[in-house]
Amino acid sequence: MDENLMMIWQRCLQFMRDNLNAAEDNSDLKKLEKSFDLLFDKVQPFSLVDNNLTLMVPSDFYKEYIEDNYLSLLSAALKKNIGKGVKLWYSVMENRPSGLEKPVTMNMKGKSVPTPKVQETMPQGFSSNIVNPFVVPGIKKVNIDSNLKADFSFDNYVEGESNKFAATVARSIAKRPGATAFNPLFLYGGYGVGKTHLGQAVGLEVKNQFPDKVVLYLSSEKFIQQFISAAKAHKQTEFANFYQMVDVLIIDDIQFLSGKSATQDSFFHIFDHLHQNGKQIILTSDKAPADIMDIQDRIVSRFKWGLSAEIKSPDLTTRKRIIENKLSRDGIVLPDDMLEFLASEAKTNVRELIGIINSVIAYSTIYKTDLSLELLKETINKIAANQKKIINIPYIQDVVCDYFGIKKEQLLSKTRKREIALPRQLAMYFSKELTNATFSKIGEEMGGKDHSTVMYACDTIKDVSKIDKEVKKYVKDLTERIKS
């Protein structure tokens, strides 16, 4: 590297550092200097030719952040140490095509294009007051709604053999978010076993112990919707910047990123930034990392960096304790025989338990009747009768989609990718086996497919399930789920 160029760049850095607090309170100077040094430590001058200065930056994020937060200061430094009319170029190292010598930057579509930036004035239309949630973070953090529910605390989380390991790890993370080996924490298990509760419990405890930390909980569907909105408004950078300032990020049902390649790309870079900067990531899924279909290998590998903890359906003892915990918060006490019966009626998940409890309490309140074992049995029988499943094509589609972690739009689409085509064939197979629908009717319900396509799918599943252990397991599992 040209020693003269390095000296010029060092003078520019010193000028900017000396003027950091020009528009800020002196009490924040140390924080400003620390943030400045962390950013520009990874930025190096590459060349200075005919008043064109090229800086090497690790990623697009650095380029955007420099322009969004240090544009005026950098402009003044360049003018003072190089002269007027300096044009600034960026060489984004992670995106440099092999063998390419000329400095380039990358546009949002990922094509390499030279983009000189005249740094004399602020870019037209630039504003630092972008509406939440896509804000450009400055030195000071903004206040955001963490989306946490107070009921989902550790105090209200009942531990048992099915979740003890996951709960122990979660409590450890809450004491030192981002500073343990459990990053990310990947919680997986069936529907309604307490994954969301445990993830939010960490967030609540972190907010209690470290009020200044930014904690954010959201579903993967919300994350996807926000990314789509940002992409349509050409604000992907603001979207990434917002999430990169979070200290504890909790995303529910991460399996729904399946098939969303653009969203996966954005999530990947956000994940890397947070992880590299010691921020805590907590993810929940109904499947283990390796079992999520149509998701990038590089993302799956990062899921495995920390700890994957399975939460299983609660056993009888744990279900009883969950019931007692819920009822005690509502001021209700049940005798042991009623607790035993109630716990034995809900064998699958916590949400089913809570639903039954709420129904029994409501029934007792409305009819002003004391709770008894007979009333309990009568109420649950009524609930069971009213909730009797009707097996039809839409219901089968829902069960298949839930099992494979895909959207119904994907199931009904025309894509031939195996991760979608196989679930679609299984849905067609069960629609024929368990309903009275004709091949034509099934094809119509499956996105307008021809009856011959349905016939082929049914024959394929019948034949393949005899020789393929994986498909045989799918048929067995789905049969139980659909009929249960």
Side-chain angles (χ1 to χ4, degrees):
M1 183 184 297
D2 188 342
E3 292 184 7
N4 186 47
L5 174 58
M6 179 55 75
M7 290 177 62
I8 293 173
W9 179 242
Q10 289 300 324
R11 287 199 297 268
C12 289
L13 289 177
Q14 189 59 51
F15 174 86
M16 288 191 286
R17 190 180 290 107
D18 291 343
N19 290 275
L20 276 176
N21 64 331
E24 299 285 346
D25 187 342
N26 288 340
S27 62
D28 291 329
L29 182 56
K30 288 186 178 180
K31 292 182 179 179
L32 289 170
E33 290 177 340
K34 183 177 180 181
S35 298
F36 177 88
D37 291 339
L38 285 172
L39 177 71
F40 282 98
D41 182 58
K42 296 183 180 180
V43 178
Q44 297 292 328
F46 181 76
S47 65
L48 178 60
V49 181
D50 297 331
N51 250 21
N52 287 273
L53 174 65
T54 300
L55 296 179
M56 290 193 301
V57 293
S59 67
D60 290 327
F61 168 76
Y62 281 80
K63 175 179 75 73
E64 298 291 344
Y65 198 87
I66 289 170
E67 292 191 351
D68 287 345
N69 295 277
Y70 294 98
L71 187 62
S72 297
L73 199 55
L74 180 56
S75 174
L78 295 177
K79 183 177 180 180
K80 176 178 175 61
N81 291 283
I82 300 177
K84 294 182 179 181
V86 178
K87 292 182 179 180
L88 181 61
W89 294 55
Y90 299 93
S91 179
V92 184
M93 300 308 294
E94 69 175 11
N95 291 325
R96 180 192 291 272
S98 60
L100 190 63
E101 296 180 357
K102 294 183 178 180
V104 297
T105 59
M106 306 296 288
N107 66 10
M108 296 310 294
K109 293 183 179 179
K111 296 178 181 178
S112 299
V113 292
T115 53
K117 300 286 184 178
V118 180
Q119 302 295 345
E120 292 298 315
T121 60
M122 293 285 281
Q124 185 176 4
F126 176 86
S127 171
S128 60
N129 297 316
I130 299 173
V131 179
N132 281 340
F134 308 129
V135 298
V136 177
I139 300 302
K140 297 180 180 178
K141 294 180 178 179
V142 298
N143 292 321
I144 63 171
D145 183 356
S146 295
N147 299 323
L148 299 172
K149 295 182 179 178
D151 286 345
F152 285 167
S153 64
F154 279 123
D155 289 340
N156 293 335
Y157 191 79
V158 178
E159 293 183 27
E161 290 302 317
S162 61
N163 59 20
K164 185 176 181 179
F165 176 67
T168 301
V169 171
R171 291 179 185 276
S172 175
I173 290 173
K175 295 176 182 177
R176 296 190 299 139
T180 70
F182 314 129
N183 195 18
L185 173 61
F186 192 99
L187 301 171
Y188 69 97
Y191 172 82
V193 294
K195 304 185 298 293
T196 298
H197 188 151
L198 191 55
Q200 288 213 18
V202 175
L204 287 168
E205 187 63 20
V206 170
K207 289 298 293 181
N208 183 49
Q209 297 294 326
F210 311 97
D212 291 337
K213 286 192 179 294
V214 177
V215 178
L216 179 63
Y217 162 86
L218 76 163
S219 67
S220 63
E221 291 180 300
K222 186 67 174 178
F223 182 86
I224 293 167
Q225 291 169 4
Q226 289 180 350
F227 174 77
I228 293 172
S229 297
K232 288 180 178 178
H234 304 291
K235 291 185 177 180
Q236 293 98 320
T237 300
E238 289 90 337
F239 174 83
N241 285 345
F242 169 74
Y243 279 98
Q244 287 171 345
M245 76 173 185
V246 175
D247 295 306
V248 179
L249 179 61
I250 308 163
I251 300 184
D252 228 348
D253 293 322
I254 199 67
Q255 74 274 6
F256 288 131
L257 287 188
S258 174
K260 308 287 192 304
S261 58
T263 309
Q264 287 180 31
D265 287 338
S266 181
F267 172 78
F268 172 81
H269 292 295
I270 291 169
F271 182 104
D272 266 12
H273 177 87
L274 294 178
H275 196 275
Q276 290 169 10
N277 286 276
K279 310 301 183 182
Q280 182 66 49
I281 303 165
I282 300 174
L283 308 168
T284 78
S285 171
D286 63 357
K287 295 178 176 63
D291 295 333
I292 302 177
M293 290 185 168
D294 199 15
I295 198 162
Q296 297 170 11
D297 290 340
R298 60 179 182 170
I299 293 179
V300 174
S301 70
R302 278 156 175 76
F303 288 164
K304 299 176 181 179
W305 276 0
L307 177 75
S308 296
E310 182 180 10
I311 301 178
K312 298 180 180 179
S313 297
D315 56 25
L316 179 64
T317 301
T318 306
R319 293 200 300 272
K320 287 175 64 176
R321 291 177 56 207
I322 291 172
I323 294 171
E324 288 179 300
N325 180 278
K326 165 64 177 172
L327 293 179
S328 66
R329 282 184 277 145
D330 291 330
I332 298 172
V333 178
L334 292 182
D336 287 342
D337 61 340
M338 294 174 66
L339 282 173
E340 190 81 24
F341 174 77
L342 192 53
S344 66
E345 285 298 302
K347 300 182 177 65
T348 56
N349 62 63
V350 176
R351 291 183 193 172
E352 183 181 350
L353 279 171
I354 301 303
I356 292 175
I357 293 168
N358 289 336
S359 297
V360 171
I361 293 173
Y363 187 94
S364 175
T365 302
I366 292 172
Y367 291 98
K368 295 181 172 55
T369 306
D370 291 335
L371 287 175
S372 65
L373 184 58
E374 290 70 27
L375 175 60
L376 198 58
K377 291 180 179 179
E378 180 184 346
T379 305
I380 290 178
N381 287 335
K382 288 181 179 179
I383 294 171
N386 292 332
Q387 295 181 344
K388 186 177 181 180
K389 293 175 181 175
I390 299 174
I391 298 178
N392 53 26
I393 296 175
Y395 171 70
I396 291 172
Q397 292 173 345
D398 289 339
V399 173
V400 172
C401 287
D402 180 68
Y403 181 79
F404 286 101
I406 61 176
K407 294 287 191 179
K408 186 173 284 189
E409 307 89 79
Q410 294 175 290
L411 189 75
L412 304 183
S413 69
K414 295 181 179 180
T415 181
R416 295 183 179 180
K417 292 181 179 180
R418 186 180 186 276
E419 55 266 25
I420 304 298
L422 179 58
R424 184 188 300 129
Q425 288 181 328
L426 284 162
M428 291 178 178
Y429 167 79
F430 282 110
S431 295
K432 187 59 184 174
E433 290 291 309
L434 302 178
T435 76
N436 295 320
T438 63
F439 288 121
S440 297
K441 176 61 177 175
I442 296 172
E444 179 183 335
E445 294 283 334
M446 293 299 300
K449 306 296 187 295
D450 187 81
H451 75 282
S452 60
T453 301
V454 181
M455 293 175 65
Y456 174 78
C458 294
D459 290 340
T460 298
I461 296 300
K462 287 179 182 178
D463 294 339
V464 175
S465 62
K466 296 176 183 177
I467 57 176
D468 190 311
K469 292 183 178 179
E470 183 181 47
V471 175
K472 184 177 181 180
K473 181 178 184 301
Y474 291 156
V475 172
K476 179 178 180 295
D477 290 349
L478 285 168
T479 299
E480 293 177 354
R481 289 200 181 197
I482 293 171
K483 290 184 175 182
S484 64

